Amino acid sequence: MIKMFTTQLSGLMNRIFDKEEFSIEDGARLLAQAAVGEGNIYICGFGEMEVVAIEALKGKEPLANARILAADQLDELTSADRVLLVSRFSTDEDALQLGQQLVEKQIPFVAVSGAVSSDSAKDLTTLADVHIDTKVIKSMLPDESGERVGFPATIAALYIYFCLKFTLEEMLNEY
């Protein structure tokens, strides 16, 4: 099962790179606006996706100008700030609520989530200035009972975070 999971993960990373390359570049460009200006990059991860904020702030190579966005800090954001919002699915209610508040405050943001088909007119794919799809909306492997297991949303989100970070840093080095 480990070999199958590894194969599936490799395929997932390749799909993200192939299909989301331009969105990653656009997202990095949007976040770089805060880094070259007088703003900060605020990161808000919902549920297990908090791992992205932890990596950005406490990892071996922290992201410059990064801050964790707490719910009570929203009024402190300025037009110079940018937000990276990360959730499991594009229809996550808490993420949508924050996204709507960011839109109302005119704070540009990048959303990273699994794009889920929705009856709702609004989800993160349409609400965010840039949306990057994790491509993870269901578990990857069948187990012996026929159930699916292995939902690597955090792995995909961290991969996307590093792609954003590397691209952003390349842009800043050229600036």
Side-chain angles (χ1 to χ4, degrees):
M1 186 171 280
I2 293 171
K3 185 171 180 149
M4 287 182 357
F5 187 64
T6 302
T7 300
Q8 290 294 323
L9 276 178
S10 177
L12 174 64
M13 301 305 157
N14 287 328
R15 276 192 312 281
I16 290 170
F17 178 77
D18 290 342
K19 304 283 186 194
E20 301 299 312
E21 181 179 10
F22 295 117
S23 293
I24 289 168
E25 190 173 308
D26 289 345
R29 192 174 294 111
L30 186 81
L31 297 175
Q33 292 171 0
V36 297
E38 296 187 15
N40 291 302
I41 299 170
Y42 286 90
I43 304 172
C44 185
F46 293 89
E48 74 274 25
M49 298 304 198
E50 287 181 44
V51 70
V52 173
I54 293 167
E55 177 63 39
L57 272 72
K58 297 182 180 187
K60 184 175 183 301
E61 302 164 347
L63 178 63
N65 297 2
R67 309 277 185 273
I68 291 180
L69 178 62
D72 61 348
Q73 288 179 299
L74 204 54
D75 290 334
E76 297 172 22
L77 297 181
T78 70
S79 60
D81 296 318
R82 300 294 180 261
V83 174
L84 175 60
L85 189 154
V86 190
S87 67
R88 184 183 304 160
F89 298 123
S90 62
T91 54
D92 179 276
E93 287 298 321
D94 293 331
L96 284 171
Q97 184 179 21
L98 176 58
Q100 188 60 49
Q101 291 172 320
L102 292 169
V103 168
E104 289 167 9
K105 285 188 58 76
Q106 298 181 341
I107 306 294
F109 73 100
V110 176
V112 174
S113 65
V116 178
S117 301
S118 169
D119 295 335
S120 173
K122 295 233 180 199
D123 69 7
L124 291 176
T125 64
T126 58
L127 200 57
D129 295 278
V130 176
H131 180 265
I132 304 168
D133 187 359
T134 63
K135 309 289 184 202
V136 180
I137 56 171
K138 63 182 180 180
S139 297
M140 297 182 110
L141 302 171
D143 67 7
E144 285 107 28
S145 66
E147 298 293 316
R148 295 192 72 80
V149 296
F151 192 86
T154 55
I155 295 172
L158 282 168
Y159 173 72
I160 290 168
Y161 160 74
F162 279 107
C163 290
L164 282 167
K165 181 181 188 297
F166 297 150
T167 305
L168 186 150
E169 289 173 347
E170 286 175 3
M171 289 175 179
L172 294 178
N173 286 338
E174 292 171 6
Y175 180 74

